[in-house]
Amino acid sequence: MRDVSFSVAEGSRTALVGESGCGKSLTALSLGGLVDRAEISGEILGSPRISYVFQNPMQSLNPVMRCGRQIDEAIHARMASAARRRRIAELLSAVALPESTARKYPCELSGGQQQRVMIAMALAADPALLVADEPTTALDVTTQKEVLDLIFRVAGERGFAVLLITHNLGLVAEYADFVNVMYAGEIVERGNVREVLENPRHPYTKGLLAAVPRLDAPRDAPLADIPGTVPPPTDWPAGCAFHPRCPVARPSCSSPEFSPPCPEMAS
């Protein structure tokens, strides 16, 4: 990641979007100091109360611990056993799960129920910011909407902010108010969701939008894509990192002296 800086307003819905390998998850983990073997500099201004909902709940939940015990571990307040049980029941109710879920193991639940348990664990810490790192990757489309609706409904009720990390611009359009577009460890474009989606300026943002399937497109219409792949951090090109894939790249874009913004954004 290079010079990544963004803000999440209190109670807001902010998105971080980009292809796999752009640095979205690494950025999210860095917020909570969860990155090992990496040199990170910078600071977080504001409340340190950050909770996470990760991509695959089956990998995030401990398979040999009952769900209630895992939620209990996320409750940082000191309280008696009876009060803790009531707290666990309240958290399960908040995510539309019965109290009996506390006695079950993750393997006894569906993918959507497992992710609801993860959300309950996130709520247990009373966060000011909930980081939802592609929280519906392993879920079907119907369950995906249920989980996201739940996250943003609870966020509205409890007043915490949500940082939604995704590569799906459709989800950004539906749920977020503000978006940061990331490529190769850098924020290349940011702004109000409606403004960015209706008038994208960076060629990468335009490519992401063009790649979104449209229901009104002819059946035989080719699916747009962005040629190539995101370069690894060990092989970032000189100049603008996107220039090898950019359809409007200029000679200056590959110069070592290149500095943002993209010429297309400045024109």
Side-chain angles (χ1 to χ4, degrees), residues 10-13 94 119 123 127-130 147-163:
E10 182 178 352
S12 69
R13 302 177 174 190
I119 297 170
L123 297 179
L129 171 64
L130 187 145
V147 168
L148 287 172
D149 285 346
L150 172 65
I151 289 174
F152 287 101
R153 175 179 62 77
V154 176
E157 294 172 352
R158 303 196 174 206
F160 57 80
V162 177
L163 176 62

Side-chain angles (χ1 to χ4, degrees), residues 2 17-19 22 169 179-191 195-211 226 239-250 253 258-267:
R2 298 168 289 175
V17 65
E19 295 171 277
C22 283
L169 284 171
V179 62
N180 299 278
V181 182
M182 175 170 270
Y183 185 79
E186 296 179 300
I187 303 293
V188 298
E189 186 167 0
R190 72 184 77 213
E195 293 175 355
V196 171
L197 297 188
E198 291 183 356
N199 185 32
R201 300 170 61 206
H202 196 281
Y204 180 62
T205 309
K206 294 178 181 179
L208 290 177
L209 284 168
I226 303 175
C240 172
F242 186 60
H243 87 262
R245 308 174 66 191
C246 182
V248 292
R250 307 177 186 183
C253 296
F258 173 87
S259 61
C262 170
E264 287 294 307
M265 300 179 70
S267 61

